[in-house]
Amino acid sequence: MAEEFEPKIVAFLCKWCSSAGSDLAGVSRMEYPPNVVPIQVMCSGSVSPLYIFSAFNKGADGVLVSGCHPGDCHYIKGNYYARRRIHLVKKLLEFVGLEPERFQMSWVSAAEGTKYTQVIKEFVNELKPLGPQNKLRRNP
Amino acid sequence: MKRTGVFICHCGINIAGTVDVKKVAQELAKHPGVVHAEDYVYMCSDPGQNLIIQAIKEKNLDNVVVACCSPTLHETTFRNTSKAGGLNIFRCEIANIREQCSWVHKDKSSATQKATKITKSAVEKVRRNESLEAISVPVTRRALVVGGGIAGIQAALDLGNSGFEVILVEKNPSIGGHMIQLSETFPTLDCSQCILTPKMVEVSKHPKVKLMTYSEVQDVSGYVGNFKVKILKKPTYVDPDKCNLCDECTKVCPIVVPNEFELGLTGRRAIYIPFPQAIPASYTLDIKACPGLMPIACGKCADVCDVKAIDYDMKPQIIEEEVGAIILATGYDLYDKANMAEYGYGKYADVLDGLQFERLCSASGPTKGQILRPSDHKEPKEVVFIQCSGSRDPENHCAYCSKICCMYTAKHAMLYKHHVHDGQAYIFYIDIRSGGKGYEEFVQRAVEEDGVLYLRGKVSKVFEDKGKLKVWGVDTLTGKHIEITADMVVLAQAMRPAQGAQELAKKLKLAMDKDGFLAEAHPKLRPVESVTSGMFLAGAAQAPKDIPEAVSQASGAAAKAVTILSQERLYHSPTVAKVLSNLCTGCGMCVQVCPYEAIAHKDGKVEVNEVLCEGCGTCSATCLRAAIQVKNLTLHQVHEMINACLGG
């Protein structure tokens, strides 16, 4: 039997909420699949569409952007910009034929280690049946 | 190529138990640019740090990556270690392989692979980092305190006593806040006015405190250490220096409006002094109530004023001040009783809120301390107190617990019994929350000494019946329906952020929580700081609080403000946005999205004010040409980090 497909995921986590939330998941010794490699950014509002395209281009099977809950942004309103921008990027990716499950956004606060764990588990489970992402990969 | 050293911490078995640290070191040693890779049991220990310093010197390292715990814990440690080794602190980066890897995975092989990727990503970042020095700005060593209640007064006193000038701004004609309206305070039954007025006098006579009553903050610009504040001083039409408090003006004033200080239980004239101990001790002419500021409209008050203190030509003034730190102590108001139709508020005169009941108990109140029904001035023999009126009701009202109501309702019932010995007090409650020094004992005292009857359940309806108030409720402990024929009903209304506080928060760009209270920077570790540096929170502006909590938070906020004011200069993180002028077309999209107004147009391009910029990077994600980027987290760096994360 062939080995189960393990998706490669890049997660852009804002420093103040989601990265802190993922730290809390660690401190609380929660367990989630190791498919996600996190990149800490200052704010979800700083996640340029180019980061997302770049990740898919370099072979990511899924990309996650996670920030503070709406209204809780450390930088007042960065996550509102993120929400709008990411909505557009999602539409664009769907338009070019990428499965919508491959690109997700979540709100995880510094107190939500459980939620972060849940988000990662669900994301990995959703990506597994899709197989590798070849649509935007440079060298499939 | 820049020479990078990688140091992998075992953290005992916290990391090494799940991640094969030796393998990570081996893998990293093969990575381009890495000239040194080693592991050690505790990198944060002195010997561990010495390994780093030694390697920097011996291997002539340009950069350091420490793969260890979260950067929130030891980033400062290892940046200082790198500095001790002769590197700029920004030549050190942390790879978080504990919280984000070893602690959340069990399979050693995949955890090791992931740790390798995270560490490589940090290597790719650090080798492209710029060496930066902190941005230094001078500090204006004065403070602004907004709100003259107990929290604001305490904060102003602490700052003044620390030797700093303070401007205390209060929107009402007198300082004192809600505390001056209270009769007694729990759990000691201290007279509220007796313990507050000394502080009011002290703050008003303090040589370092500039008191600005009947004033509102209009605008704040600038940044930590250097705020510019515009304060609107509303005209009182009475010169406090001339006024001798003879009270002749109120005797001739023909206008009567509800008295705010007495919460509408009595009236006041259009010209008034809020209460006898008001500070400043002077009258205010309420322009909204006055028939007109000219002799032809009325002019009676000016006619009788012997000392000519009344000046109809007084104009609003905008006063500009510069301060280094701001404390927000804007306090609370009670939840609008108009929302509590089921309890008959507004319909029945004898349904009161907690603050109105305080005024009835108060020796300086409208009834001179006698508890009487507003409707017929008779002594109520049965009083029903309803807790959680508007609190803990996410469907209809406020979801949160207002925290002080259990205590003040116990106090009200007790005070009632002290005034009306043959009366009976009933309290409907959901739970009794009496955490605090001496609080539980206080509630027990109400039950045991004063025979207060606690009924666990909610009231469904209050309605009038033959001059009395019928209260329908349920006792959930016995499961029985309860009907009480009461003479008075007192609602423990929820606490809300003070009126106008939310508009002020928007002007100051302060974050609010979902209920509109000012948000603290961290719920546990930074409870008195706002998310905007240089602005601090005190009292019920942040969340419902009792007096001791408000006072201690105010002192905490003052101490935090002193950490800024005691400095000659402040240092600001230099990882701010920078403009690549050759790419910038001056379209201004970044100017619009910047939450700090730190970007401005200049000569057809844009320019970043490095002192205002917080480095969030929203501008960089907005720019179509990547012409604005945050230092040490550029697009190029992120691309290379993504590459490393995907094992490329």
Side-chain angles (χ1 to χ4, degrees):
Chain A
M1 202 181 99
E3 227 178 88
E4 195 183 15
F5 167 66
E6 290 296 343
K8 288 198 250 178
I9 302 169
V10 178
F12 297 98
L13 310 180
C14 84
K15 174 176 172 165
W16 305 97
C17 291
S18 295
S19 192
S22 88
D23 277 357
L24 180 65
V27 172
S28 319
R29 308 297 200 280
M30 290 165 185
E31 203 192 337
Y32 55 81
N35 306 56
V36 177
V37 184
I39 293 179
Q40 182 179 295
V41 292
M42 295 307 278
C43 178
S44 56
S46 76
V47 177
S48 159
L50 290 173
Y51 295 4
I52 299 151
F53 303 142
S54 170
F56 283 123
N57 182 252
K58 291 175 167 64
D61 299 306
V63 175
L64 173 74
V65 178
S66 190
C68 308
H69 283 269
D72 286 350
C73 181
H74 182 80
Y75 300 106
I76 306 164
K77 53 184 180 180
N79 57 356
Y80 289 126
Y81 290 117
R83 183 164 65 177
R84 285 188 228 168
R85 191 176 291 132
I86 275 155
H87 180 72
L88 286 177
V89 172
K90 206 169 165 66
K91 288 272 174 215
L92 179 66
L93 290 173
E94 281 172 35
F95 178 74
V96 300
L98 197 80
E99 297 91 335
E101 295 84 358
R102 293 195 187 273
F103 176 51
Q104 300 201 4
M105 173 149 210
S106 65
W107 313 116
V108 174
S109 79
E112 292 179 327
T114 322
K115 182 170 178 194
Y116 182 76
T117 307
Q118 207 59 38
V119 166
I120 301 298
K121 280 183 182 165
E122 282 170 17
F123 198 13
V124 172
N125 283 340
E126 282 179 39
L127 289 181
K128 279 192 174 173
L130 297 181
Q133 179 276 126
N134 290 323
K135 193 97 200 167
L136 298 172
R137 187 190 295 255
R138 195 168 18 191
N139 305 305
Chain B
M1 188 180 270
K2 289 271 170 60
R3 299 165 64 81
T4 304
V6 180
F7 302 85
I8 298 126
C9 181
H10 300 198
C11 194
I13 58 159
N14 279 309
I15 294 171
T18 327
V19 169
D20 183 344
V21 285
K22 301 268 179 216
K23 179 118 191 272
V24 176
Q26 282 166 17
E27 288 295 317
L28 264 293
K30 292 185 228 157
H31 194 79
V34 175
V35 294
H36 179 87
E38 68 177 312
D39 58 281
Y40 186 70
V41 61
Y42 286 112
M43 273 296 165
C44 59
S45 65
D46 265 6
Q49 293 187 51
N50 286 335
L51 281 180
I52 299 175
I53 295 173
Q54 216 178 332
I56 293 171
K57 290 181 176 155
E58 283 174 9
K59 300 278 177 83
N60 201 18
L61 299 180
D62 298 305
N63 305 306
V64 167
V65 167
V66 187
C68 56
C69 52
S70 167
T72 52
L73 298 170
H74 276 305
E75 187 177 72
T76 313
T77 312
F78 292 121
R79 286 192 161 171
N80 287 333
T81 308
S82 304
K83 194 176 169 190
L87 298 181
N88 180 278
I89 59 163
F90 291 95
R91 306 237 68 98
C92 168
E93 286 287 345
I94 304 296
N96 179 353
I97 60 165
R98 193 179 74 175
E99 281 83 348
Q100 295 184 343
C101 187
S102 71
W103 273 352
V104 285
H105 306 311
K106 285 217 174 87
D107 176 54
K108 199 156 185 172
S109 141
S110 52
T112 307
Q113 275 180 27
K114 179 172 162 182
T116 308
K117 288 175 185 173
I118 293 174
T119 314
K120 283 183 179 175
S121 166
V123 170
E124 290 303 318
K125 177 175 194 288
V126 78
R127 54 191 277 211
R128 292 171 178 85
N129 271 3
E130 290 176 60
S131 295
L132 300 171
E133 295 302 332
I135 299 162
S136 139
V137 284
V139 176
T140 310
R141 302 172 82 176
R142 315 167 73 212
L144 168 74
V145 177
V146 187
I150 179 59
I153 291 173
Q154 185 63 47
L157 281 174
D158 285 353
L159 287 167
N161 290 339
S162 308
F164 299 105
E165 273 180 48
V166 190
I167 304 152
L168 177 58
V169 173
E170 166 58 47
K171 68 177 175 182
N172 288 323
S174 170
I175 54 170
H178 282 306
M179 187 178 165
I180 198 70
Q181 294 176 301
L182 307 183
S183 170
E184 272 88 14
T185 56
F186 61 80
T188 49
L189 297 186
D190 270 315
C191 153
S192 187
Q193 296 193 339
C194 314
I195 57 176
L196 180 59
T197 45
K199 280 193 184 285
M200 288 165 62
V201 173
E202 189 185 351
V203 80
S204 68
K205 302 239 188 283
H206 200 292
K208 292 280 187 185
V209 179
K210 178 176 169 187
L211 192 58
M212 290 183 69
T213 50
Y214 216 42
S215 302
E216 286 175 28
V217 174
Q218 286 252 295
D219 187 46
V220 173
S221 59
Y223 45 86
V224 53
N226 294 278
F227 293 108
K228 286 191 173 59
V229 189
K230 279 188 190 154
I231 303 163
L232 167 72
K233 187 150 181 48
K234 296 176 278 188
T236 58
Y237 304 103
V238 180
D239 182 345
D241 296 330
K242 288 187 187 161
C243 175
N244 61 4
L245 303 171
C246 69
D247 205 36
E248 290 303 321
C249 51
T250 64
K251 290 176 191 157
V252 295
C253 179
I255 304 294
V256 179
V257 289
N259 184 336
E260 302 89 352
F261 185 76
E262 303 292 358
L263 298 128
L265 292 173
T266 58
R268 64 158 171 83
R269 302 289 165 168
I271 190 162
Y272 70 107
I273 183 164
F275 51 95
Q277 311 97 313
I279 290 178
S282 177
Y283 284 72
T284 300
L285 179 55
D286 176 0
I287 184 66
K288 283 190 196 125
C290 180
L293 290 173
M294 56 189 102
I296 199 161
C298 174
K300 289 196 171 70
C301 52
D303 287 346
V304 295
C305 187
D306 286 341
V307 291
K308 303 283 170 231
I310 295 172
D311 173 10
Y312 291 147
D313 296 326
M314 215 181 255
K315 294 276 177 299
Q317 277 176 284
I318 299 278
I319 291 159
E320 293 190 20
E321 295 280 2
E322 291 187 7
V323 296
I326 299 176
I327 294 178
L328 282 306
T330 47
Y332 73 95
D333 276 323
L334 290 186
Y335 184 56
D336 193 351
K337 291 150 295 201
N339 297 325
M340 312 307 297
E342 65 268 39
Y343 296 156
Y345 186 84
K347 214 158 144 193
Y348 312 125
D350 299 326
V351 178
L352 304 176
D353 67 30
L355 276 176
Q356 288 176 317
F357 193 76
E358 294 283 349
R359 295 310 302 149
L360 283 189
C361 297
S362 173
S364 69
T367 53
K368 304 274 175 271
Q370 276 184 291
I371 296 177
L372 300 175
R373 278 159 50 109
S375 62
D376 54 11
H377 297 102
K378 284 190 185 141
E379 204 172 58
K381 294 296 177 194
E382 289 195 274
V383 179
V384 173
F385 295 88
I386 303 177
Q387 290 194 177
C388 299
S389 174
S391 299
R392 303 180 67 193
D393 188 350
E395 281 80 28
N396 305 307
H397 305 292
C398 308
Y400 53 88
C401 165
S402 294
K403 200 171 180 180
I404 63 165
C405 324
C406 287
M407 292 308 298
Y408 81 63
T409 305
K411 176 192 77 180
H412 282 169
M414 207 184 264
L415 291 178
Y416 166 68
K417 283 291 290 182
H418 295 177
H419 283 84
V420 184
H421 302 302
D422 58 343
Q424 179 61 53
Y426 304 89
I427 297 179
F428 278 93
Y429 70 103
I430 306 179
D431 300 290
I432 299 296
R433 297 181 169 180
S434 53
K437 200 171 175 176
Y439 286 11
E440 177 59 21
E441 295 89 324
F442 185 77
V443 174
Q444 287 309 320
R445 184 180 154 194
V447 176
E448 289 163 13
E449 290 181 21
D450 295 304
V452 175
L453 200 59
Y454 273 83
L455 298 161
R456 189 177 190 278
K458 288 201 86 167
V459 169
S460 60
K461 197 175 175 184
V462 176
F463 59 98
E464 206 166 36
D465 185 39
K466 295 175 197 136
K468 299 239 176 190
L469 293 165
K470 275 254 193 305
V471 179
W472 279 359
V474 63
D475 181 350
T476 55
L477 295 180
T478 58
K480 280 192 180 137
H481 173 79
I482 292 190
E483 181 180 303
I484 298 171
T485 308
D487 299 308
M488 186 184 273
V489 171
V490 181
L491 309 178
Q493 284 297 98
M495 277 167 111
R496 297 280 306 136
Q499 227 184 355
Q502 303 192 4
E503 290 70 34
L504 181 67
K506 279 180 197 148
K507 278 183 204 158
L508 270 60
K509 299 184 194 72
L510 283 174
M512 287 172 277
D513 65 21
K514 64 183 189 340
D515 301 310
F517 290 102
L518 299 178
E520 62 285 334
H522 187 282
K524 293 182 188 69
L525 301 179
R526 296 170 70 195
V528 303
E529 292 161 74
S530 78
V531 291
T532 310
S533 44
M535 295 195 195
F536 305 96
L537 313 175
Q542 183 225 355
K545 279 192 188 64
D546 62 17
I547 295 165
E549 282 180 324
V551 170
S552 40
Q553 197 192 15
S555 288
K560 278 286 175 191
V562 168
T563 61
I564 292 171
L565 303 179
S566 58
Q567 310 285 323
E568 291 280 349
R569 304 185 75 79
L570 279 181
Y571 297 92
H572 180 73
S573 169
T575 51
V576 293
K578 69 168 175 190
V579 181
L580 309 173
S581 343
N582 53 334
L583 298 177
C584 179
T585 60
C587 72
M589 279 166 65
C590 53
V591 177
Q592 285 172 25
V593 297
C594 177
Y596 301 96
E597 293 170 19
I599 313 173
H601 289 278
K602 197 189 178 191
D603 304 333
K605 313 256 177 194
V606 299
E607 174 183 65
V608 175
N609 180 335
E610 295 201 333
V611 177
L612 290 181
C613 177
E614 294 269 338
C616 70
T618 297
C619 53
S620 68
T622 307
C623 182
L624 298 175
R625 295 166 194 83
I628 188 162
Q629 307 220 356
V630 176
K631 288 179 187 172
N632 290 351
L633 198 62
T634 61
L635 189 58
H636 185 195
Q637 283 178 300
V638 176
H639 280 320
E640 294 305 331
M641 289 165 79
I642 295 170
N643 229 353
C645 288
L646 292 167

